[in-house]
Amino acid sequence: QVQLVESGGGLVQAGGSLRLSCAASGRTSRSYAMGWFRQAPGKEREIVAAISRSGFSTTYADSVKGRFTISRDNAKNTVYLQMNSLKPEDTADYYCAASANIAAMQTPDHWGQGTQVTVSS
C-alpha cells in the first residue's frame, strides 16, 4: 500500500509556471510507475503524464507535450510535474497516481487527494 500526497497547486497567470509534487509514503514509490491526471469542471479525468519505475520512460498527453515535464526522485519517494507556459485550459484538479507499470497507468492502483491548479487569462 502506498499513500500519495500532492502539493504545489495554486493560482498562476497564463504563461506562468508551477511545479507539482507528489510525496509517497508506505510502500516506496519506486515500486510503482507514477502518473499525473487532471479533471477540469464538467469534464472527465484525463491522464497528463506518466513515468516508469526507473524514470527512463515517460509519456505525455498531446495537449501538454513540450510544456510539462514529469520526473521522479526515488531517493525522496517524490514525483514532480513541472508545468510551463500554462494556459487557462490547464485549469483543473491534478491528481497523482501509482500503478504497477506504466502500461497500466489508465487504471491506477492508488490515488492522491488532488491539488487545484487555476490559470488566469
Side-chain angles (χ1 to χ4, degrees):
Q1 190 77 5
V2 63
Q3 292 77 45
L4 305 173
V5 179
E6 302 95 333
S7 61
L11 174 64
V12 64
Q13 288 188 331
S17 298
L18 281 174
R19 188 176 81 157
L20 305 183
S21 299
C22 173
S25 59
R27 189 176 178 185
T28 56
S29 63
R30 72 186 69 188
S31 299
Y32 296 91
M34 301 296 292
W36 286 97
F37 289 72
R38 67 186 181 187
Q39 186 168 19
K43 295 188 177 180
E44 293 187 354
R45 189 174 297 187
E46 62 175 352
I47 189 167
V48 174
I51 188 166
S52 63
R53 284 176 288 182
S54 65
F56 289 148
S57 295
T58 58
T59 63
Y60 296 92
D62 288 342
S63 59
V64 306
K65 281 181 181 177
R67 300 188 298 121
F68 290 11
T69 302
I70 189 171
S71 62
R72 66 190 300 161
D73 185 338
N74 285 341
K76 296 182 178 179
N77 284 328
T78 302
V79 177
Y80 304 98
L81 185 68
Q82 179 66 45
M83 305 186 294
N84 298 329
S85 302
L86 283 161
K87 304 175 181 180
E89 51 263 45
D90 294 317
T91 295
D93 292 324
Y94 283 72
Y95 298 87
C96 178
S99 178
N101 56 72
I102 197 171
M105 187 56 68
Q106 289 291 349
T107 54
D109 301 304
H110 305 284
W111 291 94
Q113 84 289 348
T115 186
Q116 188 174 55
V117 172
T118 303
V119 184
S120 63
S121 57

Short mmCIF file of all heavy atoms in Angstrom, two decimals, residues 7-80:
data_model
loop_
_atom_site.label_atom_id
_atom_site.label_comp_id
_atom_site.label_asym_id
_atom_site.label_seq_id
_atom_site.Cartn_x
_atom_site.Cartn_y
_atom_site.Cartn_z
N SER A 7 1.13 18.39 -3.70
CA SER A 7 1.28 19.77 -3.26
C SER A 7 1.78 20.59 -4.44
O SER A 7 2.20 20.04 -5.46
CB SER A 7 2.26 19.87 -2.09
OG SER A 7 3.55 19.41 -2.47
N GLY A 8 1.72 21.91 -4.29
CA GLY A 8 2.27 22.79 -5.31
C GLY A 8 1.26 23.47 -6.20
O GLY A 8 1.62 24.29 -7.05
N GLY A 9 -0.02 23.13 -6.03
CA GLY A 9 -1.04 23.79 -6.84
C GLY A 9 -1.23 25.23 -6.42
O GLY A 9 -0.69 25.70 -5.40
N GLY A 10 -2.00 25.96 -7.21
CA GLY A 10 -2.26 27.35 -6.88
C GLY A 10 -2.79 28.12 -8.06
O GLY A 10 -3.21 27.54 -9.06
N LEU A 11 -2.76 29.44 -7.93
CA LEU A 11 -3.24 30.35 -8.97
C LEU A 11 -2.04 30.95 -9.68
O LEU A 11 -1.11 31.45 -9.04
CB LEU A 11 -4.10 31.44 -8.34
CG LEU A 11 -4.57 32.58 -9.25
CD1 LEU A 11 -5.50 32.04 -10.32
CD2 LEU A 11 -5.25 33.66 -8.43
N VAL A 12 -2.06 30.92 -11.00
CA VAL A 12 -0.97 31.46 -11.79
C VAL A 12 -1.56 32.11 -13.04
O VAL A 12 -2.62 31.69 -13.53
CB VAL A 12 0.05 30.35 -12.15
CG1 VAL A 12 -0.59 29.28 -13.03
CG2 VAL A 12 1.30 30.92 -12.78
N GLN A 13 -0.86 33.10 -13.55
CA GLN A 13 -1.31 33.74 -14.77
C GLN A 13 -0.91 32.90 -15.99
O GLN A 13 0.07 32.14 -15.94
CB GLN A 13 -0.70 35.13 -14.90
CG GLN A 13 -1.30 36.15 -13.93
CD GLN A 13 -0.82 37.56 -14.21
OE1 GLN A 13 0.31 37.77 -14.72
NE2 GLN A 13 -1.63 38.55 -13.89
N ALA A 14 -1.63 33.07 -17.05
CA ALA A 14 -1.30 32.38 -18.30
C ALA A 14 0.14 32.70 -18.69
O ALA A 14 0.58 33.85 -18.58
CB ALA A 14 -2.26 32.79 -19.40
N GLY A 15 0.84 31.68 -19.13
CA GLY A 15 2.24 31.82 -19.47
C GLY A 15 3.19 31.52 -18.33
O GLY A 15 4.40 31.40 -18.53
N GLY A 16 2.65 31.41 -17.14
CA GLY A 16 3.46 31.14 -15.96
C GLY A 16 3.77 29.67 -15.77
O GLY A 16 3.43 28.84 -16.61
N SER A 17 4.40 29.38 -14.65
CA SER A 17 4.84 28.01 -14.35
C SER A 17 4.45 27.61 -12.94
O SER A 17 4.33 28.46 -12.05
CB SER A 17 6.36 27.89 -14.49
OG SER A 17 6.79 28.17 -15.80
N LEU A 18 4.26 26.32 -12.77
CA LEU A 18 4.07 25.72 -11.46
C LEU A 18 4.77 24.38 -11.44
O LEU A 18 4.89 23.73 -12.50
CB LEU A 18 2.59 25.50 -11.15
CG LEU A 18 1.73 26.69 -10.69
CD1 LEU A 18 0.27 26.24 -10.59
CD2 LEU A 18 2.21 27.25 -9.37
N ARG A 19 5.20 23.95 -10.27
CA ARG A 19 5.72 22.59 -10.13
C ARG A 19 4.91 21.87 -9.06
O ARG A 19 4.86 22.29 -7.91
CB ARG A 19 7.20 22.58 -9.74
CG ARG A 19 7.78 21.17 -9.78
CD ARG A 19 9.25 21.10 -9.50
NE ARG A 19 9.56 21.16 -8.08
CZ ARG A 19 10.68 20.70 -7.54
NH1 ARG A 19 11.61 20.15 -8.31
NH2 ARG A 19 10.89 20.82 -6.25
N LEU A 20 4.28 20.80 -9.48
CA LEU A 20 3.54 19.95 -8.55
C LEU A 20 4.46 18.86 -8.02
O LEU A 20 5.33 18.36 -8.74
CB LEU A 20 2.34 19.31 -9.24
CG LEU A 20 1.36 20.26 -9.93
CD1 LEU A 20 0.19 19.46 -10.51
CD2 LEU A 20 0.87 21.33 -9.00
N SER A 21 4.24 18.51 -6.77
CA SER A 21 4.99 17.41 -6.14
C SER A 21 4.02 16.37 -5.63
O SER A 21 2.91 16.70 -5.21
CB SER A 21 5.85 17.93 -4.98
OG SER A 21 6.81 18.87 -5.42
N CYS A 22 4.45 15.14 -5.63
CA CYS A 22 3.67 14.04 -5.10
C CYS A 22 4.59 13.21 -4.21
O CYS A 22 5.50 12.55 -4.70
CB CYS A 22 3.10 13.18 -6.22
SG CYS A 22 2.26 11.68 -5.65
N ALA A 23 4.35 13.29 -2.92
CA ALA A 23 5.16 12.55 -1.95
C ALA A 23 4.49 11.24 -1.62
O ALA A 23 3.29 11.20 -1.29
CB ALA A 23 5.35 13.38 -0.69
N ALA A 24 5.25 10.16 -1.70
CA ALA A 24 4.72 8.83 -1.41
C ALA A 24 5.21 8.34 -0.06
O ALA A 24 6.36 8.56 0.30
CB ALA A 24 5.14 7.86 -2.51
N SER A 25 4.34 7.68 0.65
CA SER A 25 4.72 7.06 1.91
C SER A 25 4.14 5.65 1.95
O SER A 25 3.31 5.29 1.12
CB SER A 25 4.21 7.87 3.10
OG SER A 25 2.81 7.98 3.06
N GLY A 26 4.62 4.88 2.90
CA GLY A 26 4.21 3.48 2.92
C GLY A 26 5.14 2.70 2.02
O GLY A 26 6.35 2.88 2.07
N ARG A 27 4.60 1.89 1.18
CA ARG A 27 5.43 1.18 0.22
C ARG A 27 6.09 2.20 -0.69
O ARG A 27 5.45 3.13 -1.15
CB ARG A 27 4.56 0.22 -0.60
CG ARG A 27 5.36 -0.73 -1.47
CD ARG A 27 4.45 -1.72 -2.17
NE ARG A 27 5.17 -2.61 -3.04
CZ ARG A 27 4.60 -3.50 -3.83
NH1 ARG A 27 3.28 -3.63 -3.83
NH2 ARG A 27 5.33 -4.28 -4.60
N THR A 28 7.38 2.06 -0.94
CA THR A 28 8.11 3.09 -1.66
C THR A 28 7.61 3.26 -3.09
O THR A 28 7.23 2.30 -3.75
CB THR A 28 9.61 2.77 -1.69
OG1 THR A 28 9.79 1.49 -2.26
CG2 THR A 28 10.19 2.78 -0.27
N SER A 29 7.64 4.49 -3.54
CA SER A 29 7.11 4.81 -4.86
C SER A 29 7.91 4.15 -5.97
O SER A 29 7.41 3.95 -7.07
CB SER A 29 7.07 6.31 -5.08
OG SER A 29 8.38 6.85 -5.05
N ARG A 30 9.18 3.77 -5.68
CA ARG A 30 9.98 3.15 -6.73
C ARG A 30 9.41 1.81 -7.17
O ARG A 30 9.80 1.27 -8.20
CB ARG A 30 11.42 2.98 -6.25
CG ARG A 30 11.63 1.90 -5.20
CD ARG A 30 13.03 1.90 -4.68
NE ARG A 30 13.30 3.09 -3.88
CZ ARG A 30 14.50 3.42 -3.44
NH1 ARG A 30 15.53 2.67 -3.72
NH2 ARG A 30 14.67 4.51 -2.73
N SER A 31 8.46 1.27 -6.37
CA SER A 31 7.81 0.01 -6.75
C SER A 31 6.72 0.23 -7.78
O SER A 31 6.13 -0.73 -8.27
CB SER A 31 7.20 -0.63 -5.50
OG SER A 31 8.20 -0.93 -4.54
N TYR A 32 6.43 1.50 -8.10
CA TYR A 32 5.31 1.81 -8.96
C TYR A 32 5.73 2.72 -10.11
O TYR A 32 6.61 3.57 -9.95
CB TYR A 32 4.23 2.55 -8.18
CG TYR A 32 3.58 1.75 -7.07
CD1 TYR A 32 4.08 1.80 -5.77
CD2 TYR A 32 2.46 0.98 -7.32
CE1 TYR A 32 3.48 1.08 -4.76
CE2 TYR A 32 1.85 0.25 -6.32
CZ TYR A 32 2.37 0.31 -5.04
OH TYR A 32 1.77 -0.40 -4.04
N ALA A 33 5.06 2.56 -11.22
CA ALA A 33 5.05 3.62 -12.21
C ALA A 33 4.13 4.71 -11.66
O ALA A 33 3.18 4.42 -10.92
CB ALA A 33 4.53 3.10 -13.54
N MET A 34 4.41 5.95 -11.99
CA MET A 34 3.65 7.06 -11.44
C MET A 34 3.06 7.91 -12.56
O MET A 34 3.64 8.01 -13.65
CB MET A 34 4.57 7.93 -10.57
CG MET A 34 5.22 7.18 -9.41
SD MET A 34 4.03 6.58 -8.22
CE MET A 34 3.44 8.13 -7.53
N GLY A 35 1.95 8.53 -12.26
CA GLY A 35 1.32 9.36 -13.26
C GLY A 35 0.63 10.57 -12.66
O GLY A 35 0.39 10.63 -11.45
N TRP A 36 0.38 11.53 -13.52
CA TRP A 36 -0.42 12.70 -13.15
C TRP A 36 -1.66 12.73 -14.03
O TRP A 36 -1.57 12.57 -15.26
CB TRP A 36 0.37 13.99 -13.35
CG TRP A 36 1.42 14.22 -12.31
CD1 TRP A 36 2.75 13.93 -12.41
CD2 TRP A 36 1.23 14.82 -11.02
NE1 TRP A 36 3.39 14.27 -11.26
CE2 TRP A 36 2.49 14.84 -10.39
CE3 TRP A 36 0.12 15.34 -10.35
CZ2 TRP A 36 2.67 15.34 -9.10
CZ3 TRP A 36 0.31 15.84 -9.07
CH2 TRP A 36 1.57 15.85 -8.46
N PHE A 37 -2.79 12.94 -13.40
CA PHE A 37 -4.06 13.09 -14.09
C PHE A 37 -4.62 14.47 -13.75
O PHE A 37 -4.18 15.11 -12.78
CB PHE A 37 -5.06 12.03 -13.60
CG PHE A 37 -4.76 10.63 -14.03
CD1 PHE A 37 -3.69 9.93 -13.49
CD2 PHE A 37 -5.55 10.00 -14.98
CE1 PHE A 37 -3.41 8.63 -13.89
CE2 PHE A 37 -5.27 8.69 -15.37
CZ PHE A 37 -4.21 8.02 -14.83
N ARG A 38 -5.61 14.88 -14.52
CA ARG A 38 -6.31 16.11 -14.17
C ARG A 38 -7.78 15.99 -14.52
O ARG A 38 -8.15 15.23 -15.41
CB ARG A 38 -5.70 17.33 -14.86
CG ARG A 38 -5.85 17.36 -16.37
CD ARG A 38 -5.09 18.54 -16.94
NE ARG A 38 -5.23 18.63 -18.40
CZ ARG A 38 -4.56 19.49 -19.16
NH1 ARG A 38 -3.69 20.34 -18.60
NH2 ARG A 38 -4.75 19.52 -20.45
N GLN A 39 -8.57 16.75 -13.79
CA GLN A 39 -10.00 16.79 -14.06
C GLN A 39 -10.48 18.22 -13.96
O GLN A 39 -10.40 18.82 -12.88
CB GLN A 39 -10.77 15.90 -13.09
CG GLN A 39 -12.24 15.77 -13.43
CD GLN A 39 -12.92 14.67 -12.65
OE1 GLN A 39 -12.44 14.21 -11.62
NE2 GLN A 39 -14.06 14.21 -13.15
N ALA A 40 -10.94 18.74 -15.07
CA ALA A 40 -11.50 20.08 -15.12
C ALA A 40 -12.99 20.00 -14.80
O ALA A 40 -13.62 18.96 -14.98
CB ALA A 40 -11.27 20.69 -16.49
N PRO A 41 -13.57 21.12 -14.34
CA PRO A 41 -15.00 21.12 -14.02
C PRO A 41 -15.84 20.68 -15.21
O PRO A 41 -15.67 21.17 -16.32
CB PRO A 41 -15.27 22.59 -13.67
CG PRO A 41 -13.96 23.10 -13.20
CD PRO A 41 -12.93 22.41 -14.02
N GLY A 42 -16.71 19.72 -14.96
CA GLY A 42 -17.60 19.26 -16.01
C GLY A 42 -16.97 18.32 -17.02
O GLY A 42 -17.63 17.94 -18.00
N LYS A 43 -15.73 17.96 -16.80
CA LYS A 43 -15.04 17.07 -17.75
C LYS A 43 -14.57 15.80 -17.06
O LYS A 43 -14.48 15.74 -15.84
CB LYS A 43 -13.85 17.80 -18.39
CG LYS A 43 -14.23 18.99 -19.25
CD LYS A 43 -13.03 19.54 -20.00
CE LYS A 43 -13.44 20.67 -20.90
NZ LYS A 43 -12.26 21.21 -21.65
N GLU A 44 -14.27 14.81 -17.87
CA GLU A 44 -13.77 13.55 -17.32
C GLU A 44 -12.29 13.69 -16.93
O GLU A 44 -11.57 14.53 -17.47
CB GLU A 44 -13.93 12.43 -18.35
CG GLU A 44 -15.37 12.07 -18.65
CD GLU A 44 -15.49 10.85 -19.54
OE1 GLU A 44 -14.46 10.36 -20.03
OE2 GLU A 44 -16.64 10.41 -19.75
N ARG A 45 -11.88 12.86 -16.01
CA ARG A 45 -10.47 12.84 -15.62
C ARG A 45 -9.64 12.31 -16.79
O ARG A 45 -10.02 11.33 -17.45
CB ARG A 45 -10.27 11.95 -14.39
CG ARG A 45 -8.91 12.03 -13.78
CD ARG A 45 -8.84 11.25 -12.48
NE ARG A 45 -9.75 11.80 -11.46
CZ ARG A 45 -9.77 11.38 -10.20
NH1 ARG A 45 -8.95 10.41 -9.81
NH2 ARG A 45 -10.61 11.92 -9.34
N GLU A 46 -8.50 12.95 -17.05
CA GLU A 46 -7.64 12.54 -18.15
C GLU A 46 -6.21 12.42 -17.66
O GLU A 46 -5.77 13.14 -16.75
CB GLU A 46 -7.70 13.55 -19.30
CG GLU A 46 -7.21 14.94 -18.93
CD GLU A 46 -7.17 15.89 -20.13
OE1 GLU A 46 -7.38 15.44 -21.27
OE2 GLU A 46 -6.92 17.09 -19.91
N ILE A 47 -5.48 11.52 -18.29
CA ILE A 47 -4.08 11.37 -17.93
C ILE A 47 -3.27 12.48 -18.58
O ILE A 47 -3.51 12.85 -19.73
CB ILE A 47 -3.55 9.97 -18.33
CG1 ILE A 47 -2.14 9.76 -17.75
CG2 ILE A 47 -3.61 9.77 -19.82
CD1 ILE A 47 -1.68 8.32 -17.82
N VAL A 48 -2.34 13.03 -17.84
CA VAL A 48 -1.49 14.12 -18.31
C VAL A 48 -0.10 13.61 -18.66
O VAL A 48 0.45 13.93 -19.72
CB VAL A 48 -1.39 15.22 -17.24
CG1 VAL A 48 -0.39 16.30 -17.66
CG2 VAL A 48 -2.75 15.84 -16.97
N ALA A 49 0.47 12.83 -17.75
CA ALA A 49 1.83 12.33 -17.96
C ALA A 49 2.05 11.11 -17.08
O ALA A 49 1.38 10.94 -16.06
CB ALA A 49 2.86 13.40 -17.61
N ALA A 50 2.99 10.28 -17.48
CA ALA A 50 3.32 9.09 -16.70
C ALA A 50 4.82 8.83 -16.82
O ALA A 50 5.46 9.22 -17.81
CB ALA A 50 2.53 7.88 -17.18
N ILE A 51 5.35 8.15 -15.82
CA ILE A 51 6.77 7.85 -15.79
C ILE A 51 6.96 6.45 -15.25
O ILE A 51 6.27 6.03 -14.32
CB ILE A 51 7.53 8.90 -14.94
CG1 ILE A 51 9.04 8.73 -15.06
CG2 ILE A 51 7.09 8.87 -13.48
CD1 ILE A 51 9.83 9.93 -14.52
N SER A 52 7.90 5.73 -15.84
CA SER A 52 8.14 4.34 -15.43
C SER A 52 8.82 4.29 -14.06
O SER A 52 9.27 5.32 -13.53
CB SER A 52 9.01 3.64 -16.47
OG SER A 52 10.30 4.28 -16.53
N ARG A 53 8.92 3.10 -13.51
CA ARG A 53 9.52 2.95 -12.18
C ARG A 53 10.96 3.44 -12.14
O ARG A 53 11.41 4.04 -11.17
CB ARG A 53 9.45 1.48 -11.75
CG ARG A 53 8.06 1.05 -11.31
CD ARG A 53 8.00 -0.42 -10.97
NE ARG A 53 8.08 -1.24 -12.18
CZ ARG A 53 8.00 -2.56 -12.18
NH1 ARG A 53 7.89 -3.22 -11.04
NH2 ARG A 53 8.06 -3.24 -13.31
N SER A 54 11.69 3.21 -13.23
CA SER A 54 13.09 3.64 -13.29
C SER A 54 13.23 5.11 -13.61
O SER A 54 14.26 5.72 -13.33
CB SER A 54 13.83 2.82 -14.34
OG SER A 54 13.31 3.12 -15.63
N GLY A 55 12.19 5.66 -14.23
CA GLY A 55 12.27 7.05 -14.68
C GLY A 55 12.76 7.19 -16.11
O GLY A 55 12.79 8.29 -16.65
N PHE A 56 13.12 6.07 -16.74
CA PHE A 56 13.69 6.14 -18.08
C PHE A 56 12.63 6.34 -19.16
O PHE A 56 12.95 6.83 -20.25
CB PHE A 56 14.48 4.87 -18.37
CG PHE A 56 15.77 4.76 -17.60
CD1 PHE A 56 16.26 3.53 -17.21
CD2 PHE A 56 16.49 5.89 -17.26
CE1 PHE A 56 17.44 3.43 -16.50
CE2 PHE A 56 17.68 5.81 -16.55
CZ PHE A 56 18.16 4.56 -16.16
N SER A 57 11.39 5.95 -18.86
CA SER A 57 10.33 6.08 -19.86
C SER A 57 9.28 7.07 -19.37
O SER A 57 8.87 7.01 -18.20
CB SER A 57 9.67 4.73 -20.13
OG SER A 57 10.58 3.83 -20.71
N THR A 58 8.85 7.95 -20.26
CA THR A 58 7.80 8.90 -19.94
C THR A 58 6.82 8.99 -21.10
O THR A 58 7.18 8.72 -22.25
CB THR A 58 8.36 10.31 -19.66
OG1 THR A 58 9.10 10.74 -20.81
CG2 THR A 58 9.27 10.33 -18.44
N THR A 59 5.59 9.34 -20.78
CA THR A 59 4.58 9.59 -21.79
C THR A 59 3.80 10.85 -21.42
O THR A 59 3.70 11.18 -20.23
CB THR A 59 3.60 8.42 -21.93
OG1 THR A 59 2.88 8.25 -20.70
CG2 THR A 59 4.32 7.13 -22.28
N TYR A 60 3.27 11.52 -22.42
CA TYR A 60 2.54 12.77 -22.20
C TYR A 60 1.29 12.82 -23.07
O TYR A 60 1.27 12.31 -24.20
CB TYR A 60 3.42 13.98 -22.55
CG TYR A 60 4.64 14.13 -21.68
CD1 TYR A 60 5.85 13.56 -22.04
CD2 TYR A 60 4.56 14.82 -20.48
CE1 TYR A 60 6.98 13.68 -21.22
CE2 TYR A 60 5.67 14.96 -19.65
CZ TYR A 60 6.87 14.39 -20.04
OH TYR A 60 7.98 14.52 -19.24
N ALA A 61 0.28 13.50 -22.56
CA ALA A 61 -0.87 13.82 -23.38
C ALA A 61 -0.43 14.83 -24.43
O ALA A 61 0.44 15.68 -24.18
CB ALA A 61 -1.99 14.40 -22.52
N ASP A 62 -1.03 14.76 -25.61
CA ASP A 62 -0.65 15.67 -26.69
C ASP A 62 -0.81 17.14 -26.26
O ASP A 62 -0.03 18.00 -26.68
CB ASP A 62 -1.50 15.40 -27.92
CG ASP A 62 -1.12 14.10 -28.62
OD1 ASP A 62 0.00 13.58 -28.36
OD2 ASP A 62 -1.93 13.62 -29.43
N SER A 63 -1.80 17.40 -25.44
CA SER A 63 -2.11 18.78 -25.06
C SER A 63 -1.03 19.42 -24.19
O SER A 63 -1.01 20.64 -24.05
CB SER A 63 -3.45 18.82 -24.32
OG SER A 63 -3.41 18.01 -23.17
N VAL A 64 -0.14 18.61 -23.60
CA VAL A 64 0.87 19.17 -22.70
C VAL A 64 2.30 18.92 -23.19
O VAL A 64 3.25 19.39 -22.56
CB VAL A 64 0.72 18.63 -21.27
CG1 VAL A 64 -0.70 18.86 -20.76
CG2 VAL A 64 1.10 17.16 -21.17
N LYS A 65 2.45 18.19 -24.28
CA LYS A 65 3.79 17.90 -24.79
C LYS A 65 4.56 19.19 -25.08
O LYS A 65 4.02 20.12 -25.66
CB LYS A 65 3.71 17.06 -26.07
CG LYS A 65 3.45 15.59 -25.83
CD LYS A 65 3.40 14.82 -27.14
CE LYS A 65 3.12 13.35 -26.88
NZ LYS A 65 2.98 12.57 -28.16
N GLY A 66 5.80 19.22 -24.63
CA GLY A 66 6.63 20.39 -24.83
C GLY A 66 6.46 21.46 -23.77
O GLY A 66 7.25 22.40 -23.71
N ARG A 67 5.43 21.32 -22.92
CA ARG A 67 5.19 22.30 -21.86
C ARG A 67 5.36 21.70 -20.46
O ARG A 67 5.81 22.38 -19.55
CB ARG A 67 3.78 22.88 -21.99
CG ARG A 67 3.52 23.60 -23.30
CD ARG A 67 2.19 24.33 -23.29
NE ARG A 67 1.05 23.43 -23.12
CZ ARG A 67 0.18 23.51 -22.11
NH1 ARG A 67 0.31 24.46 -21.20
NH2 ARG A 67 -0.84 22.66 -22.04
N PHE A 68 4.96 20.45 -20.31
CA PHE A 68 5.02 19.78 -19.00
C PHE A 68 6.13 18.73 -19.01
O PHE A 68 6.39 18.10 -20.04
CB PHE A 68 3.70 19.06 -18.70
CG PHE A 68 2.53 19.96 -18.42
CD1 PHE A 68 2.57 21.33 -18.65
CD2 PHE A 68 1.36 19.43 -17.91
CE1 PHE A 68 1.49 22.14 -18.39
CE2 PHE A 68 0.26 20.22 -17.64
CZ PHE A 68 0.33 21.59 -17.89
N THR A 69 6.74 18.54 -17.86
CA THR A 69 7.77 17.52 -17.70
C THR A 69 7.53 16.76 -16.41
O THR A 69 7.43 17.36 -15.33
CB THR A 69 9.17 18.14 -17.66
OG1 THR A 69 9.40 18.89 -18.86
CG2 THR A 69 10.22 17.06 -17.55
N ILE A 70 7.43 15.45 -16.53
CA ILE A 70 7.29 14.59 -15.36
C ILE A 70 8.67 14.04 -15.00
O ILE A 70 9.46 13.70 -15.88
CB ILE A 70 6.28 13.45 -15.60
CG1 ILE A 70 5.99 12.71 -14.28
CG2 ILE A 70 6.74 12.52 -16.70
CD1 ILE A 70 4.83 11.71 -14.40
N SER A 71 8.95 13.97 -13.71
CA SER A 71 10.23 13.42 -13.26
C SER A 71 10.02 12.78 -11.89
O SER A 71 8.97 12.96 -11.26
CB SER A 71 11.30 14.50 -13.19
OG SER A 71 10.95 15.51 -12.25
N ARG A 72 10.99 12.03 -11.46
CA ARG A 72 10.88 11.39 -10.16
C ARG A 72 12.23 11.33 -9.48
O ARG A 72 13.26 11.25 -10.14
CB ARG A 72 10.28 9.99 -10.28
CG ARG A 72 11.11 8.98 -11.01
CD ARG A 72 10.30 7.70 -11.28
NE ARG A 72 9.83 7.08 -10.05
CZ ARG A 72 8.84 6.20 -9.99
NH1 ARG A 72 8.21 5.84 -11.11
NH2 ARG A 72 8.48 5.67 -8.84
N ASP A 73 12.20 11.37 -8.17
CA ASP A 73 13.39 11.20 -7.34
C ASP A 73 13.09 10.05 -6.41
O ASP A 73 12.43 10.23 -5.37
CB ASP A 73 13.68 12.49 -6.56
CG ASP A 73 14.98 12.43 -5.77
OD1 ASP A 73 15.44 11.29 -5.47
OD2 ASP A 73 15.53 13.47 -5.44
N ASN A 74 13.53 8.86 -6.78
CA ASN A 74 13.19 7.68 -5.99
C ASN A 74 13.82 7.72 -4.60
O ASN A 74 13.29 7.12 -3.66
CB ASN A 74 13.60 6.42 -6.73
CG ASN A 74 12.66 6.09 -7.87
OD1 ASN A 74 11.52 6.58 -7.92
ND2 ASN A 74 13.11 5.28 -8.81
N ALA A 75 14.93 8.41 -4.45
CA ALA A 75 15.55 8.52 -3.13
C ALA A 75 14.66 9.32 -2.17
O ALA A 75 14.69 9.10 -0.95
CB ALA A 75 16.92 9.19 -3.23
N LYS A 76 13.87 10.24 -2.73
CA LYS A 76 12.95 11.06 -1.93
C LYS A 76 11.51 10.58 -2.00
O LYS A 76 10.63 11.20 -1.41
CB LYS A 76 13.03 12.52 -2.37
CG LYS A 76 14.38 13.16 -2.15
CD LYS A 76 14.36 14.63 -2.58
CE LYS A 76 15.70 15.29 -2.32
NZ LYS A 76 15.71 16.72 -2.74
N ASN A 77 11.27 9.49 -2.75
CA ASN A 77 9.91 8.99 -2.93
C ASN A 77 8.97 10.08 -3.40
O ASN A 77 7.84 10.21 -2.91
CB ASN A 77 9.38 8.37 -1.62
CG ASN A 77 9.96 7.01 -1.35
OD1 ASN A 77 10.26 6.26 -2.28
ND2 ASN A 77 10.17 6.69 -0.10
N THR A 78 9.43 10.86 -4.35
CA THR A 78 8.67 12.01 -4.82
C THR A 78 8.65 12.05 -6.34
O THR A 78 9.66 11.77 -6.98
CB THR A 78 9.25 13.32 -4.27
OG1 THR A 78 9.26 13.26 -2.83
CG2 THR A 78 8.41 14.50 -4.70
N VAL A 79 7.49 12.40 -6.87
CA VAL A 79 7.31 12.59 -8.30
C VAL A 79 6.91 14.04 -8.53
O VAL A 79 6.19 14.62 -7.72
CB VAL A 79 6.23 11.64 -8.86
CG1 VAL A 79 6.00 11.89 -10.33
CG2 VAL A 79 6.63 10.20 -8.61
N TYR A 80 7.40 14.59 -9.62
CA TYR A 80 7.15 16.00 -9.91
C TYR A 80 6.47 16.16 -11.25
O TYR A 80 6.61 15.33 -12.15
CB TYR A 80 8.48 16.77 -9.93
CG TYR A 80 9.30 16.63 -8.67
CD1 TYR A 80 10.34 15.70 -8.61
CD2 TYR A 80 9.03 17.40 -7.56
CE1 TYR A 80 11.10 15.55 -7.45
CE2 TYR A 80 9.79 17.27 -6.40
CZ TYR A 80 10.81 16.34 -6.36
OH TYR A 80 11.56 16.21 -5.21
#
